[in-house]
Amino acid sequence: MEQKPSQVSREQGLRWLKDMSRIRRMEEKCAELYGQEKIRGFLHLYIGEEAVAAGAMSELGEDDAVVATYREHGHALMRGISMNAIMAEMYGKLEGCSHGRGGSMHLFDAATRFYGGNAIVSGGLPLSIGLALADKMQNRKRVTACFFGEGAVAEGEFHESLNLAALWQLPVLFVCENNLYAMGTALARSESVTDIHLKAESYGIFSAAVDGMDVISVNTAVCDAVKRIRKKSAPAFLEMRTYRFRAHSMFDPELYRNKEEVEQWKQLCPVATLTARLRAQQVIGEEDIAAIENAVAEEIQTAIDFAEAGHWEPVEDLMKDIYTNRG
Amino acid sequence: MKTTYREAIRAALREALQQDKRVFLMGEDVGRYGGCYAVSQGLLQEFGEERIRDTPLSESAFVGAGIGAALGGMRPIVEVMTVNFSLLCLDQIVNTAATLRHMSGGQFSVPIVLRMTTGAGRQLAAQHSHSLECWYAHVPGLRVIAPATLEDMRGMLRLALDDPDPVIIFEHNALYNREGDLAEDNNVTDIRRAAVRRQGKDISLICYGGNLHKTLEAAEQLVLNGIDAEVIDLRSLRPLDEETVLASVRKTRRAVMIDESWRSGSLAAEIGMRVAEQAFYDLDAPLARVCTAEVPIPYPGHLEQAALPQVETIVSKAQEAMAQNV
Ligand SMILES: Cc1ncc(C[n+]2csc(CCOP(=O)(O)OP(=O)(O)O)c2C)c(N)n1
């Protein structure tokens, strides 16, 4: 794993702290709203894994593309989709980033090249290959970042896609968010080799394991990987070792893991550890933390108001957006 | 101009590659091998390996990559050897290509063209002979077409590429070697409307793809029995051109559907039901259909032929329908 750099600038520290807090607090609110039946369907929270999206996304440029899974609220937010549009989408309102048609699992945004929001495990990997291929064929120097869970590694599409990426030397950044569980299946119960980055290596892809609970490590690794991809026009693979503190989805009674394990991982909370470090280094003070909390609370309230005030798409529009030219 | 179906498709591919730099062909063995049905032979030499792109055996990844490339501004033509193998990439087609536009609230179109062969008749046994196009025709968000004439083979690809949504072209493998006269002008093709291939007043024979020729032959035999059949070629399996079908049935008052898929849940079933819903009182005889026997396609030639729609079965079904008067 990467070494942690010792000193973080105040500016950078504040930014990461705020970014991770935005994801954390937004999702805590989502869980509440789910209880109130404002948000329906499947809701997969990212809580515990914030360091990955926060540390990774800032290394991507405007032209780059992002492909994500159903656990993508954090990615969407970090990519620059407004919390308003995300929240409205969770509500299913017309003002949502997918105009309400997708919901929590299908956040999309053309403006930021955010391609989902895919609820088929491993389904996004081939897509990322194609996006990168299109860039390569059109001589564009872009990167496609593809986020997926370790559960995807067992699917054939994972292997087919890694092979193609390496074979055709495509500028894809594979980010495996290894949170150790695919729903209730622990990694060791689904993979014969649990060091996932080794699988990528076997395809001849540059690959590393990263402490996914530490935003600085994530950021450093992604920064290197992206530079490498741009320079060599070849894929790179990062296995982010992380953990979700919450259940798989709102329907999950979590019978497969014990509370002690969860508590142990919570000690590594990316928000708390960064806060502690910035404090210890005397880079930030209490008032900074309070300012962040206030700003985030305000942003969330605004987003909820926005979603509440949003509109239900008229039923007459039911058949819209099935085909491009027919309504 | 005398030509084969294979050459007509190749000409269409070549033209598409020449006209638009965004177009590229990708699939298993489309390059060096020349295509497993020799459709793309010579194109690699002409356009190079960037644009005639051989892929590994990984249907899901390269079809998915085609979808991604379409999103990224290219106009990929992706060949899946046969519809049988497309089951390995069903997820990408049904869950991704067909849904992206809808799930993104209209933000993303997926202008991919998928070509695959379909159909039986060459003693290739069950895993190479199925006709599963109605599975795809079941899916909103896809356009499914089945060219049956030389003009359609040549012309439909261009129209498919112009369509901003995913289009699947089903090429019946028995057609590739067929020869015929290709009209010079390219205006006769269409991917929206069914075509009346033979005008008639007594009964409507509704078919598509590889069965058009059997159906036309059946119609000629029916003439000898004094029956004047109208032959409708659906061309587009999704969406269906109901209007042309209904207009024909209302005129002839009798209909037989000919479909190479299994009858349970087939397009023949769908068309029959639509006719029943909308033209029931116009009918003079029960609706009838000729489909493939509900068996995985057998290897022995006689059994394979026994399973498939044949000219004689079409003729006798039509005669039965003519003998009835409700
Ligand atoms: C192809 C497919 N199979 C099964 C599922 C059901 N399912 C949803 S999430 C999930 C677990 C995936 O785990 P992982 O990839 O590790 O991602 P995580 O949820 O941990 O972020 C499963 C099995 C699915 N959505 N897609």
Side-chain angles (χ1 to χ4, degrees), chain B residues 255-292:
Chain B
V256 178
M257 274 71 65
I258 300 97
D259 183 350
E260 199 171 315
S261 44
W262 297 302
R263 61 189 270 149
S264 307
S266 60
L267 271 172
E270 176 62 27
I271 290 163
M273 192 62 205
R274 290 196 194 196
V275 172
E277 281 169 339
Q278 296 174 72
F280 187 74
Y281 294 107
D282 295 310
L283 292 173
D284 284 343
L287 296 163
R289 53 186 157 146
V290 179
C291 296
T292 290

mmCIF file of all heavy atoms in Angstrom, chain B residues 255-292:
data_model
loop_
_atom_site.group_PDB
_atom_site.id
_atom_site.type_symbol
_atom_site.label_atom_id
_atom_site.label_comp_id
_atom_site.label_asym_id
_atom_site.label_seq_id
_atom_site.Cartn_x
_atom_site.Cartn_y
_atom_site.Cartn_z
ATOM 1 N N ALA B 255 -55.808 -14.406 -42.744
ATOM 2 C CA ALA B 255 -54.373 -14.202 -42.539
ATOM 3 C C ALA B 255 -53.670 -15.448 -42.014
ATOM 4 O O ALA B 255 -54.202 -16.164 -41.159
ATOM 5 C CB ALA B 255 -54.142 -13.051 -41.565
ATOM 6 N N VAL B 256 -52.476 -15.671 -42.549
ATOM 7 C CA VAL B 256 -51.577 -16.693 -42.018
ATOM 8 C C VAL B 256 -50.245 -16.002 -41.711
ATOM 9 O O VAL B 256 -49.722 -15.256 -42.538
ATOM 10 C CB VAL B 256 -51.334 -17.838 -43.033
ATOM 11 C CG1 VAL B 256 -50.350 -18.863 -42.454
ATOM 12 C CG2 VAL B 256 -52.638 -18.518 -43.403
ATOM 13 N N MET B 257 -49.721 -16.237 -40.491
ATOM 14 C CA MET B 257 -48.419 -15.682 -40.126
ATOM 15 C C MET B 257 -47.348 -16.765 -40.294
ATOM 16 O O MET B 257 -47.562 -17.900 -39.864
ATOM 17 C CB MET B 257 -48.412 -15.228 -38.661
ATOM 18 C CG MET B 257 -48.914 -13.825 -38.425
ATOM 19 S SD MET B 257 -50.682 -13.623 -38.664
ATOM 20 C CE MET B 257 -51.328 -14.633 -37.365
ATOM 21 N N ILE B 258 -46.240 -16.377 -40.903
ATOM 22 C CA ILE B 258 -45.149 -17.334 -41.084
ATOM 23 C C ILE B 258 -43.942 -16.807 -40.317
ATOM 24 O O ILE B 258 -43.501 -15.676 -40.526
ATOM 25 C CB ILE B 258 -44.780 -17.511 -42.573
ATOM 26 C CG1 ILE B 258 -46.000 -18.031 -43.351
ATOM 27 C CG2 ILE B 258 -43.616 -18.482 -42.739
ATOM 28 C CD1 ILE B 258 -46.786 -16.984 -44.053
ATOM 29 N N ASP B 259 -43.421 -17.618 -39.398
ATOM 30 C CA ASP B 259 -42.413 -17.130 -38.463
ATOM 31 C C ASP B 259 -41.501 -18.296 -38.096
ATOM 32 O O ASP B 259 -41.975 -19.354 -37.684
ATOM 33 C CB ASP B 259 -43.152 -16.602 -37.219
ATOM 34 C CG ASP B 259 -42.233 -16.000 -36.184
ATOM 35 O OD1 ASP B 259 -41.003 -16.148 -36.325
ATOM 36 O OD2 ASP B 259 -42.747 -15.384 -35.228
ATOM 37 N N GLU B 260 -40.196 -18.093 -38.231
ATOM 38 C CA GLU B 260 -39.275 -19.202 -37.976
ATOM 39 C C GLU B 260 -38.989 -19.418 -36.490
ATOM 40 O O GLU B 260 -38.265 -20.332 -36.117
ATOM 41 C CB GLU B 260 -37.968 -19.001 -38.762
ATOM 42 C CG GLU B 260 -37.181 -20.288 -38.901
ATOM 43 C CD GLU B 260 -35.987 -20.189 -39.844
ATOM 44 O OE1 GLU B 260 -36.141 -19.626 -40.946
ATOM 45 O OE2 GLU B 260 -34.908 -20.671 -39.467
ATOM 46 N N SER B 261 -39.532 -18.581 -35.624
ATOM 47 C CA SER B 261 -39.306 -18.882 -34.207
ATOM 48 C C SER B 261 -40.366 -19.871 -33.717
ATOM 49 O O SER B 261 -41.301 -20.201 -34.427
ATOM 50 C CB SER B 261 -39.275 -17.614 -33.368
ATOM 51 O OG SER B 261 -40.306 -16.765 -33.735
ATOM 52 N N TRP B 262 -40.189 -20.323 -32.475
ATOM 53 C CA TRP B 262 -41.162 -21.242 -31.899
ATOM 54 C C TRP B 262 -42.473 -20.507 -31.669
ATOM 55 O O TRP B 262 -42.469 -19.326 -31.308
ATOM 56 C CB TRP B 262 -40.609 -21.782 -30.578
ATOM 57 C CG TRP B 262 -39.362 -22.581 -30.749
ATOM 58 C CD1 TRP B 262 -39.210 -23.705 -31.516
ATOM 59 C CD2 TRP B 262 -38.082 -22.339 -30.144
ATOM 60 N NE1 TRP B 262 -37.924 -24.174 -31.413
ATOM 61 C CE2 TRP B 262 -37.205 -23.372 -30.584
ATOM 62 C CE3 TRP B 262 -37.595 -21.364 -29.265
ATOM 63 C CZ2 TRP B 262 -35.870 -23.437 -30.179
ATOM 64 C CZ3 TRP B 262 -36.278 -21.438 -28.860
ATOM 65 C CH2 TRP B 262 -35.418 -22.468 -29.320
ATOM 66 N N ARG B 263 -43.594 -21.223 -31.815
ATOM 67 C CA ARG B 263 -44.862 -20.488 -31.811
ATOM 68 C C ARG B 263 -45.206 -19.870 -30.453
ATOM 69 O O ARG B 263 -45.784 -18.791 -30.402
ATOM 70 C CB ARG B 263 -46.008 -21.355 -32.325
ATOM 71 C CG ARG B 263 -46.269 -22.583 -31.499
ATOM 72 C CD ARG B 263 -47.260 -23.494 -32.198
ATOM 73 N NE ARG B 263 -48.622 -23.186 -31.838
ATOM 74 C CZ ARG B 263 -49.661 -23.354 -32.666
ATOM 75 N NH1 ARG B 263 -49.471 -23.779 -33.894
ATOM 76 N NH2 ARG B 263 -50.878 -23.089 -32.260
ATOM 77 N N SER B 264 -44.836 -20.534 -29.353
ATOM 78 C CA SER B 264 -45.163 -19.972 -28.033
ATOM 79 C C SER B 264 -44.447 -18.643 -27.838
ATOM 80 O O SER B 264 -43.228 -18.593 -27.845
ATOM 81 C CB SER B 264 -44.719 -20.917 -26.908
ATOM 82 O OG SER B 264 -45.235 -22.199 -27.115
ATOM 83 N N GLY B 265 -45.200 -17.618 -27.673
ATOM 84 C CA GLY B 265 -44.593 -16.306 -27.430
ATOM 85 C C GLY B 265 -43.888 -15.738 -28.642
ATOM 86 O O GLY B 265 -43.012 -14.880 -28.518
ATOM 87 N N SER B 266 -44.279 -16.163 -29.814
ATOM 88 C CA SER B 266 -43.592 -15.695 -31.029
ATOM 89 C C SER B 266 -44.156 -14.372 -31.536
ATOM 90 O O SER B 266 -45.174 -13.889 -31.054
ATOM 91 C CB SER B 266 -43.761 -16.741 -32.124
ATOM 92 O OG SER B 266 -45.144 -16.921 -32.378
ATOM 93 N N LEU B 267 -43.484 -13.817 -32.532
ATOM 94 C CA LEU B 267 -44.025 -12.632 -33.196
ATOM 95 C C LEU B 267 -45.335 -12.982 -33.880
ATOM 96 O O LEU B 267 -46.245 -12.154 -33.957
ATOM 97 C CB LEU B 267 -43.029 -12.134 -34.245
ATOM 98 C CG LEU B 267 -42.002 -11.149 -33.751
ATOM 99 C CD1 LEU B 267 -40.982 -10.909 -34.844
ATOM 100 C CD2 LEU B 267 -42.661 -9.831 -33.347
ATOM 101 N N ALA B 268 -45.422 -14.212 -34.384
ATOM 102 C CA ALA B 268 -46.673 -14.655 -35.015
ATOM 103 C C ALA B 268 -47.815 -14.531 -34.010
ATOM 104 O O ALA B 268 -48.918 -14.104 -34.352
ATOM 105 C CB ALA B 268 -46.537 -16.084 -35.506
ATOM 106 N N ALA B 269 -47.524 -14.887 -32.759
ATOM 107 C CA ALA B 269 -48.548 -14.781 -31.721
ATOM 108 C C ALA B 269 -48.944 -13.320 -31.514
ATOM 109 O O ALA B 269 -50.119 -12.980 -31.393
ATOM 110 C CB ALA B 269 -48.026 -15.380 -30.421
ATOM 111 N N GLU B 270 -47.939 -12.458 -31.505
ATOM 112 C CA GLU B 270 -48.187 -11.037 -31.278
ATOM 113 C C GLU B 270 -49.030 -10.439 -32.408
ATOM 114 O O GLU B 270 -49.987 -9.705 -32.167
ATOM 115 C CB GLU B 270 -46.835 -10.313 -31.163
ATOM 116 C CG GLU B 270 -46.920 -8.814 -31.018
ATOM 117 C CD GLU B 270 -47.638 -8.383 -29.763
ATOM 118 O OE1 GLU B 270 -47.626 -9.141 -28.780
ATOM 119 O OE2 GLU B 270 -48.238 -7.281 -29.775
ATOM 120 N N ILE B 271 -48.650 -10.778 -33.613
ATOM 121 C CA ILE B 271 -49.378 -10.217 -34.758
ATOM 122 C C ILE B 271 -50.800 -10.758 -34.793
ATOM 123 O O ILE B 271 -51.762 -10.011 -34.999
ATOM 124 C CB ILE B 271 -48.623 -10.522 -36.056
ATOM 125 C CG1 ILE B 271 -47.345 -9.690 -36.068
ATOM 126 C CG2 ILE B 271 -49.473 -10.211 -37.279
ATOM 127 C CD1 ILE B 271 -46.332 -10.162 -37.048
ATOM 128 N N GLY B 272 -50.927 -12.047 -34.526
ATOM 129 C CA GLY B 272 -52.258 -12.633 -34.500
ATOM 130 C C GLY B 272 -53.146 -11.934 -33.492
ATOM 131 O O GLY B 272 -54.299 -11.589 -33.764
ATOM 132 N N MET B 273 -52.585 -11.650 -32.337
ATOM 133 C CA MET B 273 -53.362 -11.003 -31.285
ATOM 134 C C MET B 273 -53.730 -9.574 -31.678
ATOM 135 O O MET B 273 -54.836 -9.118 -31.415
ATOM 136 C CB MET B 273 -52.548 -11.022 -29.988
ATOM 137 C CG MET B 273 -53.338 -10.648 -28.779
ATOM 138 S SD MET B 273 -54.692 -11.795 -28.454
ATOM 139 C CE MET B 273 -55.791 -10.723 -27.554
ATOM 140 N N ARG B 274 -52.800 -8.897 -32.307
ATOM 141 C CA ARG B 274 -53.128 -7.513 -32.716
ATOM 142 C C ARG B 274 -54.244 -7.513 -33.746
ATOM 143 O O ARG B 274 -55.116 -6.643 -33.736
ATOM 144 C CB ARG B 274 -51.899 -6.823 -33.288
ATOM 145 C CG ARG B 274 -50.879 -6.550 -32.213
ATOM 146 C CD ARG B 274 -49.870 -5.535 -32.694
ATOM 147 N NE ARG B 274 -48.717 -5.523 -31.808
ATOM 148 C CZ ARG B 274 -47.822 -4.548 -31.781
ATOM 149 N NH1 ARG B 274 -47.939 -3.518 -32.597
ATOM 150 N NH2 ARG B 274 -46.803 -4.598 -30.948
ATOM 151 N N VAL B 275 -54.184 -8.491 -34.651
ATOM 152 C CA VAL B 275 -55.251 -8.584 -35.656
ATOM 153 C C VAL B 275 -56.570 -8.897 -34.948
ATOM 154 O O VAL B 275 -57.612 -8.289 -35.231
ATOM 155 C CB VAL B 275 -54.907 -9.649 -36.719
ATOM 156 C CG1 VAL B 275 -56.097 -9.894 -37.641
ATOM 157 C CG2 VAL B 275 -53.682 -9.223 -37.524
ATOM 158 N N ALA B 276 -56.493 -9.824 -33.980
ATOM 159 C CA ALA B 276 -57.718 -10.181 -33.249
ATOM 160 C C ALA B 276 -58.281 -8.974 -32.504
ATOM 161 O O ALA B 276 -59.492 -8.746 -32.468
ATOM 162 C CB ALA B 276 -57.425 -11.319 -32.279
ATOM 163 N N GLU B 277 -57.400 -8.182 -31.929
ATOM 164 C CA GLU B 277 -57.852 -7.008 -31.167
ATOM 165 C C GLU B 277 -58.503 -5.954 -32.061
ATOM 166 O O GLU B 277 -59.464 -5.300 -31.684
ATOM 167 C CB GLU B 277 -56.655 -6.341 -30.466
ATOM 168 C CG GLU B 277 -56.193 -7.020 -29.198
ATOM 169 C CD GLU B 277 -54.854 -6.469 -28.696
ATOM 170 O OE1 GLU B 277 -54.087 -5.869 -29.483
ATOM 171 O OE2 GLU B 277 -54.565 -6.672 -27.522
ATOM 172 N N GLN B 278 -57.938 -5.802 -33.249
ATOM 173 C CA GLN B 278 -58.339 -4.638 -34.043
ATOM 174 C C GLN B 278 -59.111 -4.939 -35.316
ATOM 175 O O GLN B 278 -59.685 -4.035 -35.915
ATOM 176 C CB GLN B 278 -57.083 -3.828 -34.391
ATOM 177 C CG GLN B 278 -56.436 -3.264 -33.131
ATOM 178 C CD GLN B 278 -55.119 -2.594 -33.424
ATOM 179 O OE1 GLN B 278 -55.082 -1.534 -34.007
ATOM 180 N NE2 GLN B 278 -54.030 -3.253 -33.042
ATOM 181 N N ALA B 279 -59.078 -6.190 -35.743
ATOM 182 C CA ALA B 279 -59.760 -6.477 -37.015
ATOM 183 C C ALA B 279 -60.583 -7.758 -36.923
ATOM 184 O O ALA B 279 -60.852 -8.405 -37.928
ATOM 185 C CB ALA B 279 -58.722 -6.581 -38.137
ATOM 186 N N PHE B 280 -60.992 -8.093 -35.711
ATOM 187 C CA PHE B 280 -61.698 -9.356 -35.484
ATOM 188 C C PHE B 280 -62.935 -9.486 -36.384
ATOM 189 O O PHE B 280 -63.155 -10.511 -37.010
ATOM 190 C CB PHE B 280 -62.105 -9.430 -34.009
ATOM 191 C CG PHE B 280 -62.693 -10.747 -33.600
ATOM 192 C CD1 PHE B 280 -61.880 -11.865 -33.451
ATOM 193 C CD2 PHE B 280 -64.062 -10.881 -33.367
ATOM 194 C CE1 PHE B 280 -62.413 -13.084 -33.072
ATOM 195 C CE2 PHE B 280 -64.601 -12.102 -32.990
ATOM 196 C CZ PHE B 280 -63.788 -13.203 -32.848
ATOM 197 N N TYR B 281 -63.691 -8.428 -36.461
ATOM 198 C CA TYR B 281 -64.953 -8.507 -37.217
ATOM 199 C C TYR B 281 -64.754 -8.431 -38.724
ATOM 200 O O TYR B 281 -65.683 -8.590 -39.484
ATOM 201 C CB TYR B 281 -65.934 -7.431 -36.722
ATOM 202 C CG TYR B 281 -66.343 -7.699 -35.298
ATOM 203 C CD1 TYR B 281 -65.862 -6.921 -34.253
ATOM 204 C CD2 TYR B 281 -67.190 -8.774 -34.991
ATOM 205 C CE1 TYR B 281 -66.219 -7.185 -32.935
ATOM 206 C CE2 TYR B 281 -67.538 -9.052 -33.679
ATOM 207 C CZ TYR B 281 -67.047 -8.251 -32.655
ATOM 208 O OH TYR B 281 -67.402 -8.537 -31.357
ATOM 209 N N ASP B 282 -63.504 -8.173 -39.120
ATOM 210 C CA ASP B 282 -63.212 -8.170 -40.554
ATOM 211 C C ASP B 282 -62.820 -9.552 -41.059
ATOM 212 O O ASP B 282 -62.619 -9.756 -42.243
ATOM 213 C CB ASP B 282 -62.057 -7.204 -40.859
ATOM 214 C CG ASP B 282 -62.445 -5.766 -40.548
ATOM 215 O OD1 ASP B 282 -63.515 -5.341 -41.012
ATOM 216 O OD2 ASP B 282 -61.695 -5.088 -39.819
ATOM 217 N N LEU B 283 -62.655 -10.485 -40.113
ATOM 218 C CA LEU B 283 -62.117 -11.789 -40.500
ATOM 219 C C LEU B 283 -63.201 -12.747 -40.990
ATOM 220 O O LEU B 283 -64.293 -12.806 -40.420
ATOM 221 C CB LEU B 283 -61.389 -12.426 -39.308
ATOM 222 C CG LEU B 283 -60.091 -11.739 -38.864
ATOM 223 C CD1 LEU B 283 -59.574 -12.365 -37.578
ATOM 224 C CD2 LEU B 283 -59.037 -11.818 -39.963
ATOM 225 N N ASP B 284 -62.860 -13.501 -42.032
ATOM 226 C CA ASP B 284 -63.764 -14.537 -42.533
ATOM 227 C C ASP B 284 -63.305 -15.934 -42.145
ATOM 228 O O ASP B 284 -63.996 -16.915 -42.436
ATOM 229 C CB ASP B 284 -63.835 -14.472 -44.075
ATOM 230 C CG ASP B 284 -64.692 -13.298 -44.529
ATOM 231 O OD1 ASP B 284 -65.457 -12.761 -43.702
ATOM 232 O OD2 ASP B 284 -64.587 -12.909 -45.702
ATOM 233 N N ALA B 285 -62.129 -16.046 -41.536
ATOM 234 C CA ALA B 285 -61.618 -17.359 -41.150
ATOM 235 C C ALA B 285 -60.748 -17.194 -39.905
ATOM 236 O O ALA B 285 -60.230 -16.097 -39.662
ATOM 237 C CB ALA B 285 -60.782 -17.952 -42.284
ATOM 238 N N PRO B 286 -60.583 -18.257 -39.109
ATOM 239 C CA PRO B 286 -59.679 -18.146 -37.955
ATOM 240 C C PRO B 286 -58.266 -17.803 -38.421
ATOM 241 O O PRO B 286 -57.858 -18.196 -39.519
ATOM 242 C CB PRO B 286 -59.705 -19.544 -37.336
ATOM 243 C CG PRO B 286 -60.932 -20.213 -37.875
ATOM 244 C CD PRO B 286 -61.184 -19.606 -39.215
ATOM 245 N N LEU B 287 -57.548 -17.087 -37.574
ATOM 246 C CA LEU B 287 -56.150 -16.766 -37.888
ATOM 247 C C LEU B 287 -55.327 -18.048 -37.809
ATOM 248 O O LEU B 287 -55.655 -18.943 -37.032
ATOM 249 C CB LEU B 287 -55.617 -15.755 -36.879
ATOM 250 C CG LEU B 287 -56.320 -14.407 -36.927
ATOM 251 C CD1 LEU B 287 -56.049 -13.610 -35.650
ATOM 252 C CD2 LEU B 287 -55.842 -13.625 -38.146
ATOM 253 N N ALA B 288 -54.285 -18.104 -38.594
ATOM 254 C CA ALA B 288 -53.469 -19.321 -38.585
ATOM 255 C C ALA B 288 -52.005 -18.942 -38.639
ATOM 256 O O ALA B 288 -51.650 -17.808 -38.976
ATOM 257 C CB ALA B 288 -53.831 -20.193 -39.780
ATOM 258 N N ARG B 289 -51.142 -19.892 -38.280
ATOM 259 C CA ARG B 289 -49.714 -19.586 -38.375
ATOM 260 C C ARG B 289 -48.879 -20.825 -38.657
ATOM 261 O O ARG B 289 -49.281 -21.946 -38.350
ATOM 262 C CB ARG B 289 -49.214 -18.892 -37.118
ATOM 263 C CG ARG B 289 -49.528 -19.621 -35.850
ATOM 264 C CD ARG B 289 -49.109 -18.751 -34.669
ATOM 265 N NE ARG B 289 -49.835 -19.127 -33.473
ATOM 266 C CZ ARG B 289 -49.316 -19.079 -32.253
ATOM 267 N NH1 ARG B 289 -48.100 -18.639 -32.066
ATOM 268 N NH2 ARG B 289 -50.024 -19.444 -31.206
ATOM 269 N N VAL B 290 -47.739 -20.534 -39.252
ATOM 270 C CA VAL B 290 -46.762 -21.578 -39.532
ATOM 271 C C VAL B 290 -45.484 -21.169 -38.803
ATOM 272 O O VAL B 290 -44.869 -20.154 -39.137
ATOM 273 C CB VAL B 290 -46.487 -21.685 -41.046
ATOM 274 C CG1 VAL B 290 -45.450 -22.769 -41.315
ATOM 275 C CG2 VAL B 290 -47.771 -21.949 -41.810
ATOM 276 N N CYS B 291 -45.114 -21.946 -37.787
ATOM 277 C CA CYS B 291 -43.917 -21.623 -37.006
ATOM 278 C C CYS B 291 -42.997 -22.833 -36.984
ATOM 279 O O CYS B 291 -43.298 -23.867 -37.560
ATOM 280 C CB CYS B 291 -44.299 -21.253 -35.575
ATOM 281 S SG CYS B 291 -45.301 -19.775 -35.455
ATOM 282 N N THR B 292 -41.880 -22.686 -36.268
ATOM 283 C CA THR B 292 -40.979 -23.820 -36.113
ATOM 284 C C THR B 292 -41.511 -24.731 -35.011
ATOM 285 O O THR B 292 -42.051 -24.244 -34.011
ATOM 286 C CB THR B 292 -39.568 -23.313 -35.772
ATOM 287 O OG1 THR B 292 -39.036 -22.673 -36.932
ATOM 288 C CG2 THR B 292 -38.637 -24.445 -35.365
#
